[in-house]
Amino acid sequence: MPPHKLKLKQIIINLLKILFQSSSQNCGQTSTMSILLELNFKQKNATRLFTAIGGFSAYLLIKDSTKLSMALGAIMALMLRNPTIVYVLFITLPRDVIAAYRFLKLNVFLYYMEYKKWSMARIFQEKYRRMPNKCCFVMDERKLTFQEMEEFSNKVGTYFLGKGFRSGDCVALFMETRPEYVGLWLGLSKIGIITALINSNQRRETLKHSLEAAKAKAIIVGTELAPILKDVWQNEDLKWLSIFQFSDEEQRDNDNFDLIKEAVDLTADLKQQIPQNLQVYIEKCKPKDTLLYVYTSGTTGLPKAAVITHLRYLFIAAGTHYMVAVRPNDIVYNALPLYHTAGGIIGVGNALIFGCTVALRKKFSASNFWKDCIKYKATVAQYIGELCRYLLTTPRKPEDTLHNLRLMYGNGLRPQIWSQFTTRFNIPNIGELYGSTEGNSNLANVANQVGAVGFIPIVARTLYPVQVIRVDEESGEPIRNYNGLCERCAAGETGLLVGKVDPRRAVTSFHGYADQKASERKLLRNVFKKGDVYFNSGDLIVVDILGYFYFKDRTGDTFRWRGENVSTQEVEAIITNVIGLQDCVVYGVEIPHIEGKAGMAAIEDPEHKVDLNHLSVGIRGSLPSYAQPLFIRLMAEIPRTGTFKMKKRELMLQSFNIHKISDPLYYLNKDGVYRPLSEEQYQLLLDGKAGL
């Protein structure tokens, strides 16, 4: 090759290195998240030079055409004037092509299923017929093949049909994880019965509320939860509820096995049940019929029953499957509860819809997670919330990297531990998802971008149904212009994530809750034009120039103190880094006679290891004065939902009342050190004389 060509080739290689290395450094491919909001000097000039070289090469090919040359000149002028757009299009092209291909496959699949008018039971039938002897679910030493799942669910449908239940009735399912859990609601769905998936951690008033909200006619209860139900059922208000008790062989062989007096022994009855052909009932079920009620976690109040139609279930499960590239031959390890969207839809759906084998665990165990992945030969595993951080706190052991996982997917992997987690446990790919049980604002990060919950290509930013609008961070209310309409946020500007509601498409439909009033409260009207409707996610998001979305906080979690907005997530991240990845939740509390809310941090410290002096130094060195929590509460255990979400509302109601809180409570003194809150300081705070 001639020397001048070698030189040109080397220049191009160097330019590409500058572009890609700069992108990597600025887009978060380090141990901490870094959001790219503008190009630096090197990036701008490298982009311009690369554009000029490309333009000159194109000119050599078309120089004989005056019109093409003039058009090329105009295009080059625009590109050289706007290097950021050129840079973004070039850098994100591979990512966007992959995402577009997967998104197209998803939409074709959904359209086909809608065209066929297949329910979940009908879709499962197709998988069962193709692979009857393949393992569908495995848990401990038990396996359930696709044929066994089909036969069991047919027995369930036949049995409840014989008991007088009909399409549109609701039956609650209150049971811990086991393979039959899915078979029970799948069988009920075959005759059109809606199943309310009750959180197995619910007790008394919350449990009673969930049963009443779903208008359940009966409940299937696992023997392990029978005493809890019995305690609630004795209330006269629930005497109308029929009880069917399910137990496995291990429970029945136990000398302490006890059947609720008023309950039907469902296990014994199903053994005697002869399954009927339910095809006529299955064909009557339509994609838009209600399949399940899945309850929100209730971190800020009583749970709400989100409506999951067959099509909604299909969209959530298939959307995840296609976007993060799960394969039909994968073995998926699912240690999440089956009453929740993540475990019961995103996890289980891989088996019911795509024929994967799904390995279940009764309850997540950090010490057994990798052992299970090895035992079941899992190739894919799920995570949610704090699960990854729990795994990081375990002692290092050989099993950490002896697994065969090629992918972990879920939501809530904190940016602060993302790289540490993937490096220590040798996870090649992370599929971070964004969405909610009831919402239609769905995103996926399929590019391994550290800290991002998803992305939208720059060319589709105004067309995609998910948008970020300007909002008052303290009140959570959208900011409207003089026309009464909302405005999109610019890159780097914190805004509210909303999703356009269009009932004609599975991707954008919103079915809300069983409570219609609660559904209406989640909607925003007249957002970008008169008459349009958007789902309010309640999440504050920041978008970078590459189209990546980064979660900042929940509306309501951000509070105002000393004239400044404080992000609870940012403060939590600092504190957990200082104290070593222990659980921490930050919230605002009101102080009489003082405007705004003061920060308070509850830290889980069962072994009394937190060094308050070290914490004081770490907070002072990392947070501005207005963001430093005024109170620190050390707890043996922070109250949680069944999916590891910490319940802020209970803690907020208790505030800093030393007469109600028995935990150690500390106050930030003027010298920047946390010391126990005294009775004298407490009274000064109540009287507005604390000098705040």
Side-chain angles (χ1 to χ4, degrees), residues 320 324 326 332-333 336 340-343 346-347 380-388 407-414 418 421 429-435 443-446 452-454:
T320 301
V324 303
V326 178
V332 181
Y333 179 58
L336 305 175
H340 192 263
T341 306
I346 293 175
V380 175
Q382 286 184 262
Y383 66 83
I384 190 173
E386 299 295 277
L387 186 150
C388 296
L407 166 71
M408 283 189 73
Y409 70 90
N411 69 289
L413 177 54
R414 292 188 179 186
W418 187 304
F421 180 81
N429 295 294
I430 291 288
E432 174 72 10
L433 307 170
Y434 174 85
L443 297 167
N445 176 2
V446 300
V453 298

Side-chain angles (χ1 to χ4, degrees), residues 492-542:
E493 187 178 359
T494 299
L496 177 68
L497 190 74
V498 296
K500 188 175 183 180
V501 176
D502 183 351
R504 295 172 298 178
R505 301 181 61 218
V507 179
T508 55
S509 61
F510 172 68
H511 300 286
Y513 311 101
D515 181 349
Q516 290 301 314
K517 290 182 179 178
S519 301
E520 185 60 32
R521 287 195 292 268
K522 294 295 290 184
L523 298 177
L524 294 174
R525 300 183 184 277
N526 305 319
V527 177
F528 295 116
K529 63 181 181 180
K530 298 296 182 182
D532 64 7
V533 181
Y534 278 74
F535 169 77
N536 181 353
S537 73
D539 289 333
L540 298 177
I541 297 290
V542 177

Side-chain angles (χ1 to χ4, degrees), residues 140-207:
D140 299 325
E141 305 307 319
R142 295 189 58 226
K143 292 182 179 180
L144 212 62
T145 65
F146 279 83
Q147 181 168 340
E148 289 169 336
M149 176 62 73
E150 173 70 3
E151 291 172 354
F152 178 78
S153 59
N154 279 341
K155 281 187 175 185
V156 172
T158 303
Y159 177 79
F160 279 90
L161 194 63
K163 289 291 182 180
F165 290 86
R166 294 294 181 264
S167 178
D169 289 343
C170 177
V171 172
L173 182 56
F174 188 48
M175 183 186 294
E176 292 182 347
T177 296
R178 49 167 58 90
E180 291 86 358
Y181 186 102
V182 182
L184 287 165
W185 69 249
L186 183 64
L188 292 170
S189 78
K190 289 184 174 183
I191 58 172
I193 293 176
I194 303 164
T195 308
L197 306 184
I198 307 294
N199 185 328
S200 58
N201 296 294
Q202 289 186 3
R203 301 293 184 268
R204 297 187 178 176
E205 287 304 314
T206 307
L207 176 57

